[in-house]
Amino acid sequence: MEAEIREFMEYLSQERQASKNTQMSYRRDLDQMEEYLKEQGIVETKKVTRTLLNSYILYLESQGRAATTISRMMASMKAFFHYEFSRGKISRDPAELLKAPKVEKKAPTILTVEEVTSLLNQPGGSSPKELRDKAMLELLYATGIRVSELIGLALKDLNLSIGFITCRDEHKERTVPFGKVTRQALEQYLSQARDSLLKGKESALLFVNCSGRPMSRQGFWKIIKHYGAMAGITADITPHTLRHSFAAHLISNGADLRAVQTMMGHSDMASTQAYAAYARKEDMVRAVYHTTHPRQ
C-alpha cells in the first residue's frame, strides 16, 4: 500500500498542484491508516473493505480523536480510495459510503476592540524580537490574512510606500491594504530589527525567527499565546482569532461584505456572512444596553 500512497501523493503534487500543507496533511493521515491496516494484516489496497475502514474510524474515536480530526482523516481516505478506483487499481471503492461524524460548529472567538488594542500593545519594547512581534501582530490584525500567509510573506510582497501586501497561492493572488500604524511598525522592524535577527544570513522572507530562519506556525502560535496572557485575555486566542476579529470589526463598522470577502480571500460569500451575523448581534446588544442601562 505504501507504493500506492506514494503515487497518490505525486498525483496531488503534480496534477492537482495541492499546497505543501495539504500534501503533508494527506500524507500524515494516510500513513496512520496504513499503519492501522498493517496491524490488521492488510497490506494490499485491494483487500481493504468498508468494514475495516469503519473499524479504523471506531478506533480513532476510542483514542479520543476530535470529530473534526476524524472528518479530515476520512476526507483523506475518501480521496485516496476514489483515486485508486478511478485508475482501475481496485474493483470497488471501500470508502465511498463512509459517513463522517457530526462536527459541532463552534462560533469563532472574536475579541473586542479593547482586547485587540491591549494585545497589540504588549510587545512595547525595542528589542529585535519585540519589534518583529509588534509588526507581525499589527499586520495580522490590519489585513486579516491567514497565519500561513503571514509567515510566508516575502519582502517583495510588501509595498510600504502605498501600504499594501500581496498574498499568493498556487491559483490566485490578492492585495490587501494596511494603515499608518501598521506601516510604522513594519518600518521599525525593517530598519532596526530584521538584520539583527538574520545574523548575517540572507532571506527572501519578510519575517524570520530569532535564528534568522523561516518562522513556523507553531512558533507564531506561541507568540500570540504569550502576549494574550500578558494582556490578561481569558479567551482561547489562536492566530486565527485576529483574522476573525478583523472581519467582525470591519463589518460592524459598516464595511461592504464584498470588500471584506476579497480581503479575506474567501471563495464563498457564506464564510464572510457569518461575521455579519456576529456584527448584527453585537450592535443589537450594544443598542439595548445604551438605551436601557440607568447610568447611560
Side-chain angles (χ1 to χ4, degrees):
M1 195 179 303
E2 185 179 342
E4 285 88 347
I5 292 175
R6 187 165 57 247
E7 182 184 314
F8 174 66
M9 297 309 301
E10 289 174 1
Y11 158 76
L12 285 180
S13 173
Q14 296 172 13
E15 293 188 40
R16 291 286 300 277
Q17 295 187 325
S19 69
K20 293 293 182 185
N21 284 339
T22 299
Q23 291 178 51
M24 287 171 60
S25 178
Y26 272 102
R27 183 80 213 209
R28 183 172 58 246
D29 293 344
L30 294 175
D31 283 349
Q32 290 181 40
M33 178 198 70
E34 182 195 11
E35 185 179 344
Y36 173 84
L37 293 173
K38 195 180 292 182
E39 289 173 358
Q40 312 308 308
I42 304 297
V43 294
E44 295 180 70
T45 308
K46 63 183 179 181
K47 291 186 177 180
V48 178
T49 64
R50 183 158 59 113
T51 301
L52 274 169
L53 294 181
N54 273 320
S55 297
Y56 177 51
I57 292 164
L58 290 172
Y59 167 75
L60 293 173
E61 290 176 344
S62 73
Q63 295 295 301
R65 297 294 187 96
T68 49
T69 301
I70 295 174
S71 293
R72 190 204 68 228
M73 296 175 86
M74 284 181 64
S76 298
M77 289 190 287
K78 281 176 173 286
F80 170 67
F81 286 108
H82 176 73
Y83 170 81
E84 291 292 289
F85 178 70
S86 66
R87 299 295 168 107
K89 303 287 184 67
I90 53 178
S91 58
R92 51 182 167 57
D93 181 351
E96 184 179 9
L97 298 178
L98 289 180
K99 291 185 178 179
K102 285 188 177 179
V103 178
E104 186 179 332
K105 276 199 169 184
K106 293 183 178 179
T109 300
I110 295 172
L111 303 178
T112 65
V113 174
E114 292 75 21
E115 285 175 325
V116 171
T117 301
S118 178
L119 175 67
L120 300 184
N121 285 340
Q122 294 312 308
S126 58
S127 69
K129 180 184 182 302
E130 285 182 288
L131 291 176
R132 180 205 64 192
D133 295 349
K134 173 78 170 175
M136 292 186 82
L137 290 173
E138 289 284 359
L139 186 60
L140 195 63
Y141 178 62
T143 59
I145 58 175
R146 302 171 181 88
V147 65
S148 56
E149 294 172 327
L150 178 73
I151 62 177
L153 281 173
L155 276 171
K156 64 182 176 61
D157 297 327
L158 173 67
N159 189 318
L160 269 179
S161 60
I162 300 177
F164 70 81
I165 54 169
T166 302
C167 290
R168 298 179 175 86
D169 60 28
E170 291 89 345
H171 308 293
K172 59 184 178 181
E173 69 175 45
R174 70 186 193 281
T175 57
V176 189
F178 57 81
K180 63 180 181 181
V181 174
T182 303
R183 179 186 296 161
Q184 289 168 359
L186 286 166
E187 286 172 344
Q188 268 198 303
Y189 162 68
L190 290 171
S191 63
Q192 302 174 34
R194 188 171 179 274
D195 285 346
S196 178
L197 292 172
L198 280 170
K199 297 179 172 61
K201 300 184 183 74
E202 291 188 4
S203 176
L205 292 173
L206 175 58
F207 297 111
V208 294
N209 65 18
C210 292
S211 301
R213 298 187 180 91
M215 180 168 285
S216 67
R217 294 165 63 96
Q218 293 82 1
F220 186 72
W221 183 86
K222 290 177 182 177
I223 288 171
I224 202 166
K225 286 283 186 184
H226 170 69
Y227 290 119
M230 285 180 64
I233 298 170
T234 56
D236 183 24
I237 299 180
T238 69
H240 230 57
T241 303
L242 282 180
R243 178 170 162 84
H244 293 319
S245 302
F246 160 84
H249 295 169
L250 278 181
I251 294 170
S252 187
N253 284 317
D256 177 72
L257 280 179
R258 286 286 177 194
V260 176
Q261 180 189 12
T262 300
M263 287 185 279
M264 298 282 283
H266 285 156
S267 56
D268 184 359
M269 174 58 85
S271 300
T272 314
Q273 286 172 333
Y275 298 110
Y278 164 85
R280 284 195 298 271
K281 181 180 176 183
E282 287 293 293
D283 289 343
M284 181 188 72
V285 170
R286 193 180 298 113
V288 168
Y289 179 85
H290 284 299
T291 55
T292 59
H293 195 280
R295 290 183 65 82
Q296 290 306 306

